[in-house]
Amino acid sequence: MNSFKERFHAQQERNMEQYANWLPGWRNRRTRRRVVIGWLIAALATIGLSTVAGHPGSGILLVWMALLLITVLFQLLNKVLTNNVGERSARLLDERELALRGRSSYVGFLVATWSMIVAAVLFAVTPIGGLPLAPFVVLMSLAMLASNTPSALLAWQLPDDEPDPIAEGEHRG
């Protein structure tokens, strides 16, 4: 009988094959970089608004929630455009993808660590920790930044895919 780990890897392989055909015209460096810039703007805007969106009844909280949703959509788009290299099993990656993932994961770890330090200092030094929703809003904003940093770096660094001569036929212009 298959173990849980084997079933999980088989599901990852099926997902990889399924998602590999999504948005084929967008899988170039120029488009991926535009998506990364959009994600970064949305993530930084959520962090900026998180310092004032701590009251449950404020309109700023609704704007923050909309920006959070936009950030999540950019994150999902980043994962699709990079074939989810940042979270896939190592056995499904080649050496180049493993090396790129290792470097970007380290940067993501540093961003997560510094985000925790920023949050701790922010809560200790400012009165923001006393607002009803402020800790949640600040921590969610920082988590959105840290969680997609590896995928964003991969999207920025990955080269354009090589054209497949078999898929294009014998006659390429």
Side-chain angles (χ1 to χ4, degrees):
M1 176 146 208
N2 290 342
S3 70
F4 174 76
K5 186 176 180 181
E6 290 170 350
R7 289 192 310 262
F8 179 72
H9 288 308
Q11 181 64 39
Q12 277 189 325
E13 288 176 9
R14 286 191 299 273
N15 289 346
M16 185 181 75
E17 291 169 3
Q18 179 183 0
Y19 302 140
N21 298 324
W22 286 14
L23 304 170
W26 289 29
R27 292 178 183 258
N28 57 49
R29 182 179 275 185
R30 182 177 181 187
T31 304
R32 284 193 312 261
R33 286 185 173 183
R34 287 181 179 170
V35 171
V36 168
I37 290 170
W39 164 79
L40 186 60
I41 290 170
L44 292 177
T46 59
I47 292 170
L49 281 179
S50 69
T51 58
V52 293
H55 293 290
S58 71
I60 296 174
L61 183 61
L62 293 174
V63 173
W64 176 84
M65 289 168 66
L67 277 171
L68 189 70
L69 180 64
I70 291 168
T71 305
V72 169
L73 292 175
F74 276 124
Q75 285 181 334
L76 293 174
L77 190 55
N78 268 335
K79 290 181 187 302
V80 167
L81 294 179
T82 60
N83 287 330
N84 204 15
V85 171
E87 284 81 26
R88 255 192 294 156
S89 172
R91 73 185 193 114
L92 299 174
L93 301 174
D94 60 17
E95 291 89 12
R96 179 184 60 88
E97 290 171 336
L98 280 171
L100 284 171
R101 184 176 81 168
R103 280 182 271 168
S104 62
S105 295
Y106 177 70
V107 174
F109 171 75
L110 289 177
V111 170
T113 303
W114 281 104
S115 295
M116 288 188 286
I117 292 170
V118 166
V121 169
L122 189 65
F123 296 146
V125 175
T126 66
I128 196 169
L131 297 175
L133 293 176
F136 169 76
V137 172
V138 170
L139 291 175
M140 281 299 296
S141 299
L142 292 172
M144 285 294 122
L145 178 69
S147 66
N148 196 52
T149 298
S151 291
L153 287 173
L154 285 169
W156 193 269
Q157 293 175 350
L158 285 175
D160 288 339
D161 291 338
E162 293 289 327
D164 187 8
I166 296 172
E168 293 180 4
E170 294 290 327
H171 306 289
R172 288 188 290 165

